[in-house]
Amino acid sequence: AKADGRGTWRFFEVEMDIRLQARRALELDLREALANGEFQLHYQPIYDFRAQRIGGFEALVRWIHPTRGLVPPGDFIAIAEEIGLIVPLGAWCLKTACRDAMRWPDGIKVAVNVSAVQFRDEIIVASVRDALADSHLPPKRLELEITESVLLKDNLATLATLHALRRVGVRIAMDDFGTGYSSLSYLRSFPFDKIKIDQSFVRDITPDADSGLIVRAVIGLGASLGMRTTGEGIETEIQFDRLAAEGCDEGQGYFIAKPGPAATVHETITRWSGARLT
Ligand code: C2E
Ligand code: CA
Ligand code: CA
Ligand code: CA
């Protein structure tokens, strides 16, 4: 048993070593990726239930690695934050998203995810101003999506930055609502334009009429606070119809469309224009 244990341990060490090397290799590649033009933005539509049309798109970054192919953000955003790449990468995302949005029909918005690290100092305010000036996109067509991790950092400085961004004229959405520790107290300290209800709650909506009670409650909360609500991760027609019936403002998810390259945006808008055929 002792020999087995030792053997297992050695195997574990080797495995850790391989993982560390893989992570280091990825990190080295990531440092070059921005200069090599390996990032792309994909866009996922956000459906406006009342207007019954696409109201905007969320920009989601993709890394097209020369040998690995498509690397999802979950595999590199944390590393990019650690090595400080997220600041120039975030600025690139803002600039690219604003330029792309200028080619869309008037009024269609673009939402960009902002990482906690980008939020340190007031660099983010300059990045947003630069992206708007470079593209000539009206500020009200740009929305920033912020998760609670951003807000946790340093409450007063964060609030000052949020207010500075608000003065620039962009909209601010609280992303992944309900997954953090203090979702409710953040709603009290800052007037978000929008609450994005995390997909884990939307997933609870089943044909059972008693399902999705949290989603219903958050939609009510948004209504009483004067904040718009967006249901994320809609995968079924039942979830789509229920969110519409409950008075949710917007919906997003594979049922409407998966994220796609910038070239798919116009076709997606057309496919969802006019009343939905059932
Ligand atoms: P998020 O901001 O919550 O984005 C939504 C994620 O859910 C996206 O994954 C999207 O593809 C996925 N999704 C959308 N609809 C559905 C659905 O119906 N079912 C399921 N199962 N998933 C759905 P993605 O693109 O892999 O992005 C993952 C996360 O990476 C994002 O979560 C966001 O936190 C982060 N991220 C993506 N792009 C950026 C970026 O440009 N900057 C920063 N800082 N973070 C980003
Ligand atoms: Ca988001
Ligand atoms: Ca989200
Ligand atoms: Ca998420």
Side-chain angles (χ1 to χ4, degrees), residues 9-275:
W9 177 242
R10 206 171 285 148
F11 178 72
F12 177 70
E13 280 181 332
V14 168
E15 201 172 76
M16 277 300 284
D17 204 45
I18 290 171
R19 254 195 243 165
L20 265 174
Q21 281 175 23
R23 143 87 220 223
R24 223 168 281 145
L26 198 67
E27 185 182 313
L28 283 175
D29 290 349
L30 194 55
R31 287 182 189 280
E32 310 287 314
L34 193 57
N36 291 346
E38 290 166 12
F39 292 109
Q40 274 184 18
L41 290 183
H42 278 196
Y43 293 97
Q44 186 176 35
I46 300 170
Y47 185 79
D48 184 321
F49 286 117
R50 249 174 289 278
Q52 299 197 344
R53 59 171 181 82
I54 302 299
F57 288 80
E58 178 177 0
L60 295 156
V61 72
R62 300 289 180 259
W63 178 15
I64 316 298
H65 187 282
T67 56
R68 292 166 204 261
L70 199 146
V71 185
D75 290 358
F76 69 85
I77 289 286
I79 305 177
E81 288 175 337
E82 241 175 82
I83 65 175
L85 181 79
I86 196 75
V87 173
L89 175 60
W92 178 87
C93 288
L94 279 163
K95 193 163 265 188
T96 307
C98 290
R99 279 186 190 171
D100 285 346
M102 272 309 275
R103 288 194 286 267
W104 303 346
D106 200 32
I108 302 275
K109 291 181 191 137
V110 66
V112 178
N113 291 284
V114 175
S115 143
V117 179
Q118 280 174 275
F119 230 77
R120 287 191 201 140
D121 316 315
E122 290 226 334
I123 290 179
I124 183 68
V125 183
S127 300
V128 167
R129 279 216 182 89
D130 286 351
L132 292 170
D134 167 81
S135 61
H136 304 291
L137 187 77
K140 63 172 198 260
R141 284 180 60 190
L142 174 61
E143 189 163 83
L144 304 178
E145 296 195 0
I146 289 159
T147 56
E148 281 175 50
S149 62
V150 169
L151 301 162
L152 273 177
K153 290 278 142 82
D154 180 346
N155 244 318
L156 276 181
T158 304
L159 283 178
T161 307
L162 285 171
H163 283 291
L165 289 168
R166 175 60 63 65
R167 281 194 297 275
V168 172
V170 299
R171 292 171 206 250
I172 298 169
M174 186 171 188
D175 205 353
D176 300 346
F177 183 80
T179 59
Y181 299 107
S182 341
S183 301
L184 287 175
S185 50
Y186 290 128
L187 292 188
R188 189 175 51 190
S189 46
F190 187 78
F192 292 91
D193 298 286
K194 185 184 283 183
I195 298 170
K196 296 195 79 173
I197 307 168
D198 191 67
Q199 51 189 56
S200 57
F201 302 111
V202 173
R203 205 168 299 140
D204 288 341
I205 301 174
T206 64
D208 178 354
D210 280 344
S211 66
L213 293 178
I214 295 188
V215 169
R216 178 184 298 173
V218 177
I219 293 169
L221 183 69
S224 47
L225 291 170
M227 299 176 189
R228 288 172 68 81
T229 45
T230 305
E232 288 195 278
I234 301 173
E235 291 184 352
T236 68
E237 186 163 22
I238 284 166
Q239 292 164 350
F240 183 96
D241 290 344
R242 187 83 68 77
L243 284 166
E246 299 282 2
C248 195
D249 296 293
E250 299 174 339
Q252 187 179 354
Y254 294 168
F255 176 74
I256 298 152
K258 289 194 172 181
T264 62
V265 160
H266 284 93
E267 191 262 323
T268 304
I269 293 171
T270 309
R271 185 155 41 88
W272 282 88
S273 67

